[in-house]
C-alpha cells in the first residue's frame, strides 16, 4: 500500500485529503490549452480568479481536495492548477490518461505504434512528472463510449491497467452510464484491484442491478454529475439513496463534473447551468439525501472516508 498521494503542489497522505470532490475540471479547452492559456497574463489572471472563487465557495463546506481528471486532449493545464493550489492552499490532484479515441491513436502512432509506450507515458507522468513540470499525476483517466467498447478503447484500458499495476495509481473512468461493468472486468482481469477503480458517471444510469454488479465486483461508483443539465438531481439523489439503503455507502463517491473555466463552453452557475457548480452537492443535494433518510455518517463516508480509502489503497 502506498500512502503518499500526489497533488499538484507535492505529495500528501491520504488522511490529509479530507472531504474530496472526485471529478471537477478547473479548466477545459478541447484539443489542449493554447499557448496564451498556459503563460501568465491578463487571461490567466481572470481564469485563476474565477477558479479561486470556486475553491473559496467549496472550502466553506469543508472540502479540502479536488480531483481534476482533465486529460491532455481536454486542455489539462498544469501551471494553472499549480497556481490555484498554491494561492489557496487547496489540494488539487491531476490526471494522466487520454480522453478521446482519436487522441489515443495519435499518441500511439507518435510513440511507434506501441500500446506499451502509451502505458510508459502514463507511468512517467505518475512517477516523474508531466512534461518538464515535475508535477506528478495522482490518477489515470480512461474513457469508453457506446454502444460497445471499441478495440482502441479496449487497448487504452489495458495501457491504463498496466500503468496502474506498475505504479499503484488508481483509475477513474468515463462512461456513458453503461459498460462500467465491462470496464471493471477488463481492468481487473489485467491485474488492477477492483477497489482502485471508480466507474465514473454511474449516475447517468438508474439501473439498480447494474450498480449492484459493480459494487459487488468491489469498485466505486462515481455519482459525479450532480447539477449537470440533462437529468434532475432528484433522480440522481433517489438512485444514490437506494444504494445507501442497500448498504453500499462505502462504494459511493460524488462530484459534479463541473467546468470552472471552459474555453468556448458554457458558463456554469447561470441559466440552464445554474445548479452545475461545485457547491451544488452541499447546497441542494445533501438536503435531498437527508430528506430521503441518509444520515450525516453516510454523507461523511461518501465525501471523506471513501476518497481516503480509494487513494490509500485500503479495501472498502
Ligand atoms: Zn469530466
Amino acid at each position: 500500500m502506498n500512502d503518499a498521494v500526489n497533488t499538484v503542489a507535492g505529495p500528501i497522505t491520504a488522511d490529509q485529503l479530507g472531504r474530496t470532490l472526485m471529478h471537477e475540471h478547473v479548466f477545459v479547452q478541447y484539443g489542449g490549452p493554447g499557448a496564451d492559456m498556459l503563460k501568465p497574463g491578463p487571461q490567466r489572471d481572470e481564469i485563476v480568479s474565477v477558479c479561486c472563487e470556486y475553491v473559496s465557495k467549496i472550502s466553506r463546506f469543508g472540502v479540502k481536495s479536488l480531483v481534476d481528471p482533465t486529460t491532455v486532449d481536454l486542455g489539462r493545464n498544469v501551471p494553472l492548477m499549480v497556481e490555484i493550489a498554491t494561492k489557496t492552499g487547496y489540494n488539487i490532484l491531476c490526471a494522466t490518461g487520454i480522453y478521446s479515441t482519436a487522441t489515443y491513436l495519435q499518441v500511439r502512432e507518435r510513440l511507434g505504434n506501441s500500446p506499451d509506450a502509451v502505458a510508459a507515458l502514463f507511468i512517467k507522468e505518475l512517477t516523474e512528472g508531466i512534461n518538464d513540470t515535475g508535477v506528478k499525476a495522482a490518477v489515470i483517466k480512461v474513457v469508453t463510449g457506446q454502444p460497445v467498447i471499441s478495440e482502441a478503447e479496449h487497448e487504452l484500458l489495458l495501457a491504463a491497467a498496466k500503468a496502474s499495476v506498475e505504479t499503484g495509481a488508481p483509475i477513474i473512468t468515463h462512461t456513458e452510464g453503461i459498460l462500467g461493468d465491462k470496464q471493471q472486468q477488463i481492468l481487473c482481469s489485467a491485474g488492477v484491484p477492483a477497489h482502485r477503480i471508480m466507474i465514473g458517471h454511474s449516475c447517468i444510469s438508474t439501473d439498480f442491478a447494474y450498480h449492484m454488479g459493480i459494487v459487488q465486483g468491489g469498485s466505486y461508483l462515481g455519482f459525479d454529475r450532480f447539477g449537470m443539465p440533462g437529468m434532475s438531481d432528484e433522480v440522481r439523489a433517489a438512485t444514490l439513496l437506494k444504494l445507501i439503503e442497500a448498504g453500499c455507502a462505502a462504494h459511493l463517491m460524488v462530484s459534479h463534473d463541473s467546468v470552472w473555466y471552459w474555453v468556448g463552453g458554457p458558463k456554469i452557475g447561470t441559466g440552464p447551468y445554474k445548479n452545475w457548480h461545485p457547491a451544488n452537492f452541499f447546497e441542494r443535494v445533501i438536503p435531498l439525501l437527508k430528506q430521503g433518510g441518509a444520515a450525516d455518517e453516510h454523507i461523511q463516508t461518501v465525501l471523506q472516508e471513501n476518497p481516503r480509502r480509494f487513494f490509500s489503497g485500503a479495501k472498502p
Side-chain angles (χ1 to χ4, degrees):
M1 197 186 299
N2 178 10
D3 199 42
V5 180
N6 293 328
T7 80
V8 297
I12 59 169
T13 65
D15 286 337
Q16 289 174 287
L17 285 168
R19 287 188 156 192
T20 302
L21 291 173
M22 289 298 293
H23 189 138
E24 310 289 344
H25 303 269
V26 299
F27 176 87
V28 164
Q29 183 174 19
Y30 289 130
D36 51 341
M37 296 291 177
L38 286 164
K39 62 171 198 249
Q43 187 142 29
R44 248 286 275 294
D45 292 347
E46 189 206 324
I47 303 170
V48 169
S49 112
V50 166
C51 294
C52 288
E53 183 66 31
Y54 280 120
V55 168
S56 116
K57 237 181 144 176
I58 50 179
S59 294
R60 280 176 232 146
F61 300 101
V63 180
K64 298 256 183 296
S65 305
L66 156 83
V67 180
D68 183 331
T70 310
T71 50
V72 63
D73 47 344
L74 286 177
R76 182 182 59 187
N77 188 329
V78 175
L80 176 71
M81 288 190 264
V82 172
E83 193 173 338
I84 297 163
T86 310
K87 274 214 161 92
T88 59
Y90 191 78
N91 301 316
I92 301 179
L93 284 61
C94 74
T96 187
I98 288 174
Y99 186 73
S100 87
T101 303
T103 308
Y104 171 70
L105 294 172
Q106 276 164 23
V107 172
R108 191 187 69 181
E109 192 179 344
R110 178 160 58 77
L111 299 172
N113 252 324
S114 154
D116 281 351
V118 178
L121 171 67
F122 296 165
I123 292 166
K124 190 246 167 208
E125 294 194 337
L126 291 159
T127 59
E128 290 172 38
I130 295 164
N131 302 323
D132 59 356
T133 61
V135 171
K136 296 172 188 167
V139 292
I140 309 164
K141 163 90 172 282
V142 287
V143 177
T144 65
Q146 53 186 353
V148 293
I149 295 179
S150 72
E151 210 177 305
E153 287 168 348
H154 189 256
E155 220 177 86
L156 175 60
L157 285 169
L158 293 180
K162 193 169 183 202
S164 171
V165 168
E166 185 147 336
T167 62
I171 297 177
I172 288 181
T173 76
H174 167 108
T175 65
E176 297 296 329
I178 55 166
L179 301 172
D181 46 354
K182 300 282 180 301
Q183 291 181 338
Q184 184 184 44
Q185 262 168 34
I186 293 166
L187 294 170
C188 291
S189 302
V192 182
H195 61 283
R196 307 312 303 281
I197 303 165
M198 179 177 94
I199 302 298
H201 309 337
S202 292
C203 48
I204 296 174
S205 171
T206 56
D207 183 342
F208 182 69
Y210 168 75
H211 289 140
M212 285 306 283
I214 293 167
V215 167
Q216 279 156 2
S219 297
Y220 292 88
L221 295 169
F223 271 59
D224 49 12
R225 282 191 159 175
F226 280 104
M228 188 187 273
M231 181 188 262
S232 77
D233 279 343
E234 282 73 10
V235 172
R236 293 186 185 98
T239 313
L240 192 73
L241 275 167
K242 229 172 147 181
L243 290 159
I244 291 173
E245 276 162 26
C248 302
H251 287 268
L252 306 169
M253 296 195 277
V254 295
S255 218
H256 306 86
D257 200 3
S258 64
V259 179
W260 301 359
Y261 194 99
W262 189 341
V263 179
K267 192 167 164 356
I268 60 167
T270 58
Y273 309 99
K274 71 177 189 312
N275 296 326
W276 196 28
H277 61 79
N280 174 58
F281 185 77
F282 305 91
E283 292 174 351
R284 294 183 63 254
V285 180
I286 290 179
L288 285 173
L289 293 173
K290 285 196 167 172
Q291 246 170 47
D296 286 335
E297 179 197 332
H298 295 131
I299 289 162
Q300 194 62 2
T301 298
V302 163
L303 280 170
Q304 183 161 332
E305 269 309 295
N306 296 347
R308 183 189 62 73
R309 244 189 289 104
F310 181 69
F311 282 102
S312 77
K315 277 191 179 172

